Amino acid sequence: MDSARHSAADIAERTARASYGKLLAILALRTRDIAAAEDALADAFAAAVAQWPQDGVPTNPEGWLITVARRSIGRRKAHDVVIDRAAEFLALLEDERNSEKYPPFRDERLALLFVCTHPAIDRDVQAP
C-alpha cells in the first residue's frame, strides 16, 4: 500500500509539473476567475493524492483532474448562490426588525404565566 501511495503521489506531482499551467488555463477560461480555478485545481490535486492510492491512478490523470476541478467549481458556485440568497433574506429580516412599523414591546407573557399559575392562587382560578 505504501508503494502505491508513493507511486500515486509521484504521478500526481509529475502531472502537476507537466500540466498545471494548461489545466489552470482551461479552468480559468471557463470560469473567468483565476483564483477560483487555482483553488479548484488545488482541491483536485488534493483529492488525487488521497484517492489515487486507494482506487488506482486513472488512465487519463489530466482529464480526471479537470473533471474534479470543474465539479469543485460547480459546488462553489452553487454554495455562493445559496449564501447570496440567504444574505438577501437576512437583510430583509433585519430591515423588518429595525422598521418603525413594528415598535418593540416588552414581552411579559412568561412572567404573566408564572403569576397565573402561582401556588398561592386557588387551583380553580389558575390558568391551565
Side-chain angles (χ1 to χ4, degrees):
M1 181 68 172
D2 190 35
S3 64
R5 184 180 313 266
H6 187 64
S7 174
D10 287 344
I11 293 172
E13 182 180 351
R14 277 186 270 145
T15 304
R17 290 184 188 279
S19 304
Y20 185 83
K22 179 174 74 171
L23 297 173
L24 183 62
I26 291 169
L27 292 169
L29 179 67
R30 186 173 198 181
T31 62
R32 305 279 189 226
D33 186 354
I34 293 175
E38 286 178 332
D39 290 344
L41 198 52
D43 291 346
F45 277 110
V49 170
Q51 192 171 345
W52 289 359
Q54 297 169 355
D55 299 342
V57 177
T59 56
N60 182 1
E62 289 179 358
W64 189 93
L65 289 165
I66 284 289
T67 300
V68 171
R70 283 182 177 160
R71 288 178 182 163
S72 176
I73 289 170
R75 281 192 301 273
R76 283 193 183 138
K77 283 185 179 180
H79 179 57
D80 289 346
V81 167
V82 169
I83 294 295
D84 290 344
R85 286 183 184 166
E88 291 172 13
F89 182 69
L90 291 174
L92 179 68
L93 288 176
E94 184 70 22
D95 289 346
E96 186 175 302
R97 186 169 49 140
N98 293 333
S99 172
E100 294 295 324
K101 188 166 66 172
Y102 302 104
F105 61 92
R106 290 184 52 195
D107 190 1
E108 296 184 13
R109 289 178 283 185
L110 185 60
L112 184 61
L113 283 173
F114 283 125
V115 168
C116 292
T117 58
H118 194 275
I121 299 175
D122 188 25
R123 203 157 171 81
D124 295 334
V125 189
Q126 287 182 356

